[in-house]
Amino acid sequence: MYRLSINKDLFENILLKKTLVLEKENTTYWKKELLEPIIEDDKLSYKIRQFEKLILTNGLGNDKPQIVIECFKVDYSIEKGIFEFYLGKIIEQKNTNISEDQKDKIIEQLLKEKEELENKLKEKVKMVQQKIEFK
């Protein structure tokens, strides 16, 4: 398990499942942390360390918010020049403001918004079909 300290906004976005990929810049620090040197056929290469779980914290002290979350894989994006942690489900949370009830309410709201958008799309499709039939 690997421990990361992240800012409050990112922490809340991960907790609310708005952020599913945690990104870290390609710095010397992250290269040392994430790259493992390997020698194959007398050639030096590197592989990216993988973690099954991450501990994400925000702040300092014993009562800091913390979540334990699945990590599907750690990858490197050549296009963006960053390391990417692909996050899964939250296994455990401590000292967080967001309860399961709040998550359920947010999910309910998102489902309603999705349904409204689908209905609007269906109405527009019907209007286009009627225009085509009218001609």
Side-chain angles (χ1 to χ4, degrees), residues 17-128:
K17 296 291 188 183
K18 291 181 181 177
T19 300
L20 301 175
V21 178
L22 177 61
E23 299 176 344
K24 291 295 178 184
E25 289 186 28
N26 179 11
T27 61
T28 304
Y29 174 80
W30 286 109
K31 287 178 186 176
K32 285 180 184 177
E33 289 292 309
L34 299 175
L35 296 178
E36 293 180 351
I38 54 173
I39 298 175
E40 290 179 1
D41 301 325
D42 292 331
K43 293 181 182 178
L44 178 64
S45 62
Y46 295 89
K47 75 174 191 174
I48 299 173
R49 288 181 62 197
Q50 299 298 311
F51 308 97
E52 290 183 20
K53 298 176 189 171
L54 298 174
I55 299 173
L56 303 178
T57 60
N58 172 248
L60 302 170
N62 293 333
D63 60 344
K64 65 183 171 262
Q66 173 178 306
I67 54 179
V68 177
I69 192 166
E70 284 180 323
C71 182
F72 293 127
K73 78 174 180 178
V74 181
D75 204 1
Y76 182 76
S77 170
I78 295 172
E79 299 85 34
K80 297 179 186 177
I82 57 171
F83 291 99
E84 299 173 322
F85 295 79
Y86 290 86
L87 306 175
K89 72 177 184 176
I90 295 172
I91 299 165
E92 181 183 331
Q93 61 184 20
K94 295 179 184 174
N95 303 321
T96 58
N97 305 4
I98 301 169
S99 68
E100 288 300 318
D101 288 342
Q102 286 175 307
K103 287 183 191 177
D104 291 340
K105 288 177 185 175
I106 291 169
I107 290 170
E108 253 180 61
Q109 180 184 356
L110 290 171
L111 288 171
K112 284 179 186 175
E113 289 175 9
K114 178 185 173 196
E115 187 177 335
E116 288 172 10
L117 288 171
E118 286 174 343
N119 289 337
K120 286 180 181 179
L121 182 62
K122 286 177 185 177
E123 286 176 24
K124 287 192 180 214
V125 168
K126 282 182 183 180
M127 288 175 58
V128 169

